Amino acid sequence: MPGAFVKENKKMLAKTALLKTNEGMLWEVKIARETSDYFICKGDWPRFVVHHMLELGDMLIFYLVDKSTFHVVPYSKKPCTNIRHLEDLSSSEEEEKNTEFGTSRGCKKVKTEPKALSDTNFSKELHQSRIDRMSKAIKEIAFKKQQIQKPFEKGDEVEVASQEDGLIGSYYTATIISPIGSYLYRVKYKTLFSDDESVPLEDVVTASKVRPVPPDQRKILSENNFRLYDVVDVFANDGWWFGFINGIVGEELYVYFPTTADNIAYPPDVLRLHQEWSNGKWIFPPEQGIFN
């Protein structure tokens, strides 16, 4: 990526970027810096290359359409067609920003239609009914305040739930710096940094946004694979995002996020089963009949 482009669009870029192609697929990649050069790499980039059968010498056009979201157009095969497509894309930039891409999720995702199931006996009607019920329940959980019965102390590891527009349903790990009265905490985030990325971001948050860090699930997940309709959190763009699995295609799990109406494929290693802190203990919402 040209350094001048990065400098000019610094506020529009994050460490994680999303690539969108004409076929409607989404790919999460990393933006890495090496000396003064910037590269798109890691994450889904190797799979992106294989899927599009890219070879040395092939050219791609990366069109920045939203925060860390690029519309990628292959240029090497049919340059004239792609030039016309890019012109059409440029002329309708504002329309796309207000509709297809939106601003609901910042640099995490863009709006897409849920993928069809690859291996299920449920009818489309039953599947959609299940999605509607689960979406309603997840929205209710995501918008509610955290249930905390004892105050946190300096040094406690916590997760902070965001209640900002476009970020509802996300959780960020942090450390308590100090309590402020009975209802506020100063926290230092572990994955969020200042604008120049030199120091971890600090913030003052209300007690209703803070919860303990959920227990390690590696043993649970090593014994049980993820299944259709599992309620999960996905680690992406420096935080955990709340949704559920609504499709499985090969090794990819399609996760639907009701608070932003987005549907994206992820590998299993960035997912965890969602848990809620209730009455002093962690619970799995489906076991409480919340999604029945």
Side-chain angles (χ1 to χ4, degrees):
M1 298 176 64
F5 172 83
V6 174
K7 183 177 181 180
E8 181 179 350
N9 297 279
K10 183 176 181 180
K11 293 184 178 180
M12 291 282 286
L13 298 174
K15 292 181 179 179
T16 302
L18 193 67
L19 308 183
K20 177 180 173 61
T21 59
N22 290 339
E23 57 190 342
M25 297 187 69
L26 304 171
W27 312 81
E28 277 197 340
V29 298
K30 301 293 184 182
I31 297 179
R33 180 179 180 179
E34 185 174 328
T35 62
S36 60
D37 298 320
Y38 295 83
F39 300 91
I40 290 179
C41 60
K42 299 182 179 179
D44 290 339
W45 179 249
R47 291 193 297 161
F48 180 92
V49 171
V50 172
H51 178 82
H52 292 90
M53 296 181 288
L54 298 179
E55 300 175 355
L56 187 65
D58 286 348
M59 298 177 62
L60 301 171
I61 297 175
F62 289 76
Y63 190 81
L64 185 62
V65 294
D66 200 358
K67 286 187 177 181
S68 291
T69 301
F70 292 89
H71 194 122
V72 184
V73 181
Y75 184 71
S76 60
K77 306 297 183 183
K78 299 178 181 179
C80 294
T81 300
N82 287 318
I83 289 175
R84 287 197 296 271
H85 172 78
L86 182 61
E87 291 173 347
D88 294 340
L89 183 62
S90 300
S91 65
S92 61
E93 175 184 357
E94 291 304 318
E95 180 180 354
E96 287 196 354
K97 282 185 177 181
N98 293 329
T99 55
E100 182 177 4
F101 293 101
T103 58
S104 65
R105 186 53 205 284
C107 58
K108 165 64 168 66
K109 298 179 293 188
V110 295
K111 184 176 290 187
T112 61
E113 292 299 321
K115 296 287 183 180
L117 299 178
S118 62
D119 51 357
T120 178
N121 293 324
F122 287 101
S123 68
K124 291 183 178 180
E125 292 77 11
L126 289 175
H127 175 60
Q128 187 59 50
S129 175
R130 184 71 177 269
I131 287 179
D132 292 342
R133 294 199 308 273
M134 295 187 69
S135 296
K136 180 180 179 181
I138 285 177
K139 286 180 181 179
E140 291 176 353
I141 294 174
F143 277 90
K144 74 177 180 63
K145 297 180 179 180
Q146 300 300 306
Q147 185 186 90
I148 301 301
Q149 297 169 330
K150 68 175 183 178
F152 294 104
E153 300 177 352
K154 179 180 178 179
D156 284 348
E157 302 295 316
V158 297
E159 285 189 350
V160 180
S162 177
Q163 291 298 321
E164 296 183 19
D165 289 342
L167 300 178
I168 294 174
S170 62
Y171 305 83
Y172 301 88
T173 56
T175 302
I176 299 292
I177 297 177
S178 63
I180 303 177
S182 301
Y183 304 102
L184 299 173
Y185 292 101
R186 177 171 290 278
V187 301
K188 178 187 291 186
Y189 291 100
K190 291 189 172 184
T191 58
L192 300 179
F193 294 85
S194 58
D195 289 340
D196 61 3
E197 298 187 356
S198 61
V199 294
L201 184 66
E202 295 185 10
D203 196 10
V204 175
V205 297
T206 61
S208 63
K209 295 181 180 179
V210 183
R211 70 180 195 171
V213 175
D216 192 337
Q217 298 181 8
R218 281 177 291 185
K219 183 177 180 180
I220 297 175
L221 298 180
S222 66
E223 298 174 352
N224 301 279
N225 294 326
F226 288 106
R227 296 171 298 179
L228 189 64
Y229 304 125
D230 274 350
V231 183
V232 297
D233 298 323
V234 177
F235 190 80
N237 271 29
D238 307 319
W240 291 97
W241 296 80
F242 188 12
F244 65 92
I245 297 173
N246 77 329
I248 301 176
V249 180
E251 296 183 356
E252 292 188 326
L253 307 174
Y254 282 83
V255 180
Y256 182 65
F257 302 88
T259 58
T260 55
D262 297 322
N263 189 65
I264 296 181
Y266 295 96
D269 59 356
V270 297
L271 272 66
R272 70 182 185 188
L273 296 173
H274 181 81
Q275 298 180 76
E276 284 292 310
W277 182 253
S278 178
N279 297 321
K281 63 180 181 179
W282 288 103
I283 64 170
F284 293 95
E287 294 179 0
Q288 305 300 310
I290 294 176
F291 297 96
N292 293 337

